[in-house]
Amino acid sequence: MLVERSKLTSGSTWHAAGGFHTLNGDTNMAALQGYTIRLYKELEEITGMSCRMGGAVIETNCMVLHTNQRPEGTWDVVTSKGTIHAEHQVNAGGLWAREVAAMAGVYLPSHPIEHQYLVAEDLADIYNRASEYLHVMDPVGESYLRQESYGLYIGFYEQLCKPWAVDGTPWDFGHELLPDNLYKMEDSIASAFYRIPVLEHAGIKSVIHGPFTFAPDGNPLVGPVPRVRNDWSAGGVMAGFSQGGGMGLMLAQWIIHGECECDVTAIDVARFGSWDNAGYTRSKVVENYQRRFFVSYPHEELPAARPHRTPPMYDTFTKIDAVWGQQFGLEVENYFAQACDPIYENPTFRRSHAFAATAREVANVRSGVGINEVHNFGKFEVTGPHARAWFDWHLGSWLSEFSPDYTAAETGVDRFIDFHKTTDFIGRHAANAERDTPPDRVLATFEVDADDADVVAYEPVFIVGAVQGFCTSGGYSHHLGKSIAMALIPRAHAVHGVQAKIEIMGQLRAANMVTTSGFDPDMQKMWS
Amino acid sequence: MKTTSRVVVIGGSVIGASVLYHLTNRAGRM
């Protein structure tokens, strides 16, 4: 059952620019945006979508007033038309998602921002085209553009952006727009005229200025709400049309199967913890909006809302020139600068000025002693009569090559599985199947003839002249004095000494596969 | 109005409709 406060699409959907693309920094998000496009094409062919809703009910003009959880975990959703008793509730409140979350005692890190785009009059250059004009995103002009009828529309992620409804979204807001504000877009418009001269002489048919929601990192807030049973979030979906299909699929999988088919770390509402608050969210949302079309760099640290949480050694380490990063809202020392080093890491795809500092620290801890603070490491205490059974049930996975997107046999984690174990564990059936039929691809380690840039992730791997795989991670080993990459490649090619080429910064770099560890291969140091 | 439901989706724009659609039709794979 779906309940809608007003009419379907009220809030931000009805004035959305409606651009579609599959560009996203997270590969699974990109795939989900691709799924969304395919889904809409499929739905176009369906006549009367409601007849396929399997008996689901849509109740419009039905405002939710309270959500009250019963002791056993079900919900009474109190609306203007009466109370609905449900096992699960899903917050897809959009502009009002903050308010709906608050009804359940939850803070949702989402905030609306005012956004504006212009619709130009019809243009002869567009009318005379044989095909639809390209959907353009311009990082320099911080704008996006697509064809609308025989004209163009262009929208901007301007630096003078403004958070909307800081004290809460008014309940009577619905199908209104905000007053035009071309002043805040002057620089952006000038850049657009320079880039696309035909726009300068086109009349403006309409200005669309309305609010839509962002999470602090710009990605949706999806999944089970931490610490609240049967409460699900589907909020902060800034690119509603572009991501909506995929987000709906992931949440449905999560509710029905208890997990999604792929790694959804990028959208998991749990990536923000109880440390987050309105001040942090608002600052980060503004930062994210302003950087919407900026190029992001590996290891880049963003400055807004910092420091937010600090470890006990923060002041001490700051005095000795710690270069700080942030994880889960907590300041974390990345490395320590010395007198000649800047106290920040320069954003670059090449080796940054953290390179020399890291080399120095690696040498020091290999030959001497180092001290560090590890407040940012997760720590779990598992106690109780079923603690052992809980551990037996789990097969761990992390990020990079040990993500849920890859199997145990693909990454070599299967060497740690006790197949004689009598108890069941997550993924046992799949792990057993891979013993009978090994996967087509495996994780391999390469030494790369790199210059001033190392593998980060997702670089293509060429073997015998063709792309055969992709990198999962990489970096420079200061201890070995070599650039190292890890990649998933076809099993048939995964033999010691195989020669490959890895594309880094547009150049094909020779890469030699190795099957022995570069550090202490005979484990002499470990056993000494 | 219906007074019981397995799942109540609050919000009727693209995301809410998509969640309802996938819950009732296809929670299969991409």
Side-chain angles (χ1 to χ4, degrees), chain A residues 189-249:
Chain A
I189 291 172
S191 177
F193 286 172
Y194 174 77
R195 180 78 80 184
I196 308 160
V198 70
L199 280 176
E200 187 168 3
H201 306 293
I204 301 298
K205 189 157 60 178
S206 56
V207 178
I208 310 295
H209 192 200
F212 69 140
T213 59
F214 276 79
D217 60 4
N219 273 339
L221 301 162
V222 177
V225 174
R227 295 176 296 280
V228 186
R229 279 179 68 195
N230 300 337
D231 188 18
W232 301 83
S233 175
V237 190
M238 176 272 295
F241 277 111
S242 199
Q243 298 174 333
M247 295 308 105
L249 175 65

Side-chain angles (χ1 to χ4, degrees), chain A residues 253-334:
Chain A
Q253 288 181 352
W254 223 326
I255 293 173
I256 294 171
H257 306 302
E259 61 181 352
C260 304
E261 68 178 274
C262 61
D263 182 359
V264 286
T265 304
I267 61 170
D268 189 347
V269 67
R271 70 188 184 277
F272 298 102
S274 55
W275 49 268
D276 198 348
N277 57 30
Y280 179 90
T281 297
R282 192 164 59 248
S283 298
K284 280 295 184 190
V285 162
V286 168
E287 180 184 63
N288 188 272
Y289 184 99
Q290 291 171 327
R291 295 175 49 84
R292 173 83 178 122
F293 284 158
F294 280 22
V295 173
S296 294
Y297 296 93
H299 318 299
E300 187 172 15
E301 301 285 354
L302 302 179
R306 294 179 55 195
H308 184 65
R309 293 195 300 162
T310 55
M313 294 293 282
Y314 182 77
D315 291 338
T316 303
F317 283 170
T318 297
K319 286 175 185 168
I320 55 174
D321 293 338
V323 177
W324 295 98
Q326 191 188 51
Q327 293 175 0
F328 208 52
L330 176 70
E331 293 296 312
V332 177
E333 65 277 12
N334 286 341

Side-chain angles (χ1 to χ4, degrees), chain A residues 1-4 8-10 13 35 42 52-53 84-90 92-93 241 244-245 248-249 253 256-257 261, chain B:
Chain A
M1 181 176 190
L2 184 151
V3 291
E4 160 58 41
L8 297 178
T9 78
S10 283
T13 297
Y35 167 79
E42 182 185 317
R52 292 195 56 195
M53 282 295 194
I84 307 155
H85 181 224
E87 182 178 346
H88 301 273
Q89 66 170 11
V90 176
F241 277 111
L249 175 65
Q253 288 181 352
I256 294 171
H257 306 302
E261 68 178 274
Chain B
M1 187 183 72
K2 197 176 171 189
T3 56
T4 59
S5 178
R6 185 87 188 271
V7 180
V8 172
V9 179
I10 302 170
S13 291
V14 170
I15 311 306
S18 175
V19 172
L20 188 68
Y21 173 76
H22 285 94
L23 281 173
T24 53
N25 283 276
R26 45 188 298 172
R29 296 177 68 86
M30 260 190 270

Side-chain angles (χ1 to χ4, degrees), chain A residues 375-410:
Chain A
H375 256 65
N376 56 320
F377 280 40
K379 304 161 192 77
F380 301 90
E381 184 178 12
V382 182
T383 59
H386 302 297
R388 179 172 185 131
W390 187 86
F391 276 115
D392 278 341
W393 170 248
H394 283 81
L395 176 62
S397 65
W398 311 280
L399 295 178
S400 297
E401 37 282 296
F402 301 117
S403 110
D405 290 341
Y406 314 130
T407 68
E410 283 179 331

